[in-house]
């Protein structure tokens, strides 16, 4: 069931499934995706534990939710989801976050009560970049300054935008100017400092062939989050839950069941 709510002046779209008033579960997708991408988790939980109340979000700027009117960082996104939970009356939810959504889950659970956390190929560890990366970034920044002086403001902007589309990531090239700026900001935010503050049971689900957020990131998270356990899938990539839906359903169902036993 599609529903909408206004938070911080933004219209947020979400899918609700399960039992109203049941154990709340908030699902958050990765960059460039939407609630539809995370349908497997929604279905897995509601079919196995129909007493749960599942909120599968389109994050601001994705799906049917409105784009922010300023450059959001991970703090802004987390604050938005916290306010969403408050507006719906969700107490100590289970958080599920894939990739970018994992960033929000990490920060949220480090400072507010949650019942459990599932991080799926989650971002949050700032990658170590090679010299080639910094040469590319800073040469682009230099070109961005120089091009308008040589070709004029309009032509210079056109050249820079074309170069960004060719040289940037697929996520960056597909995004609007506002979402590009947001991606540039959030991708460099390191959340390792927040991980030791997560006290809830945490399940890490990872693809062993993930190149966007490598398995080494998962091992760092497992070492920093006090009550964390890692399940990795051989031959799977950044969307490990789509590469291996059967095993994903099994480990998620087992995790939710363990939370239910603790609560009872």
């Amino acid at each position: 069931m599609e529903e909408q709510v206004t938070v911080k002046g933004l219209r947020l779209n979400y899918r609700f499934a399960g039992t109203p008033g049941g154990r709340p579960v908030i699902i958050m997708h990765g960059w460039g995706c939407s609630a539809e991408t995370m349908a497997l988790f929604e279905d897995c939980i509601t079919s196995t534990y129909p007493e749960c109340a599942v909120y599968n979000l389109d994050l601001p700027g994705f799906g049917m939710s409105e784009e922010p009117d300023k450059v959001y960082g991970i703090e802004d996104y987390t604050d938005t989801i916290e306010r969403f939970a408050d507006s719906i009356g969700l107490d100590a939810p289970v958080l599920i976050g894939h990739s970018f959504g994992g960033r929000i889950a990490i920060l949220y659970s480090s400072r507010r009560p949650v019942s459990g956390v599932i991080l799926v190929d989650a971002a949050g560890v700032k990658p170590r970049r090679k010299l080639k990366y910094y040469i590319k970034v800073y040469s682009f920044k230099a070109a961005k300054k120089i091009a308008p002086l040589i070709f004029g403001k309009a032509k210079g902007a056109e050249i820079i935008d074309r170069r960004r589309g060719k040289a940037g990531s697929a996520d960056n090239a597909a995004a609007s100017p506002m979402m590009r700026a947001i991606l540039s900001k959030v991708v460099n935010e390191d959340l390792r400092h927040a991980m030791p503050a997560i006290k809830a049971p945490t399940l890490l689900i990872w693809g062993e062939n993930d190149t966007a957020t490598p398995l080494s990131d998962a091992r760092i998270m497992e070492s920093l989050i006090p009550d964390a356990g890692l399940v990795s899938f051989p031959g799977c990539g950044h969307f490990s839950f789509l590469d291996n839906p059967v095993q994903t359903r099994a480990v998620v169902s087992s995790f939710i069941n363990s939370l239910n036993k603790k609560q009872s």
Side-chain angles (χ1 to χ4, degrees), residues 103-225:
R103 288 181 179 274
I104 302 170
I106 289 168
L107 193 56
Y108 187 120
S109 58
S110 73
R111 64 193 194 188
R112 287 177 64 126
V114 299
S115 296
V117 185
I118 302 177
L119 300 176
V120 187
D121 300 292
V125 175
K126 187 176 179 179
R128 293 180 179 179
R129 305 292 192 181
K130 294 181 179 179
L131 180 60
K132 183 180 177 181
Y133 169 83
Y134 291 104
I135 291 173
K136 177 180 173 182
V137 169
Y138 289 111
S139 64
F140 177 80
K141 288 183 177 182
K144 192 175 178 181
K145 294 281 188 183
I146 296 169
L149 300 177
I150 298 175
F151 301 103
K153 190 173 181 180
K155 184 65 176 176
E158 180 184 332
I159 292 170
I160 290 300
D161 205 51
R162 189 162 58 243
R163 177 173 173 177
R164 179 190 286 114
K166 290 180 180 179
S169 68
D171 283 340
N172 205 16
S176 69
M178 175 60 77
M179 297 308 290
R180 273 194 212 128
I182 290 173
L183 176 60
S184 179
K185 182 173 183 178
V186 299
V187 77
N188 289 312
E189 294 185 80
D190 196 311
L191 299 177
R192 276 178 284 192
H193 67 280
M195 295 174 191
I198 300 173
K199 304 306 180 188
T202 301
L203 170 65
L204 306 171
I205 300 176
W206 235 265
E208 293 185 5
N209 294 348
D210 188 342
T211 56
T213 53
L215 189 59
S216 58
D217 288 5
R219 294 196 175 107
I220 290 171
M221 292 182 189
E222 185 182 26
S223 69
L224 292 175
I225 299 171

Side-chain angles (χ1 to χ4, degrees), residues 240-262:
S240 58
F241 60 102
L242 298 179
D243 293 337
N244 193 340
V246 173
Q247 199 167 352
T248 298
R249 284 176 176 273
V251 296
V252 169
S253 294
S254 176
F255 182 73
I256 297 295
N257 185 50
S258 69
L259 296 181
N260 289 340
K261 285 182 177 178
K262 286 184 179 181

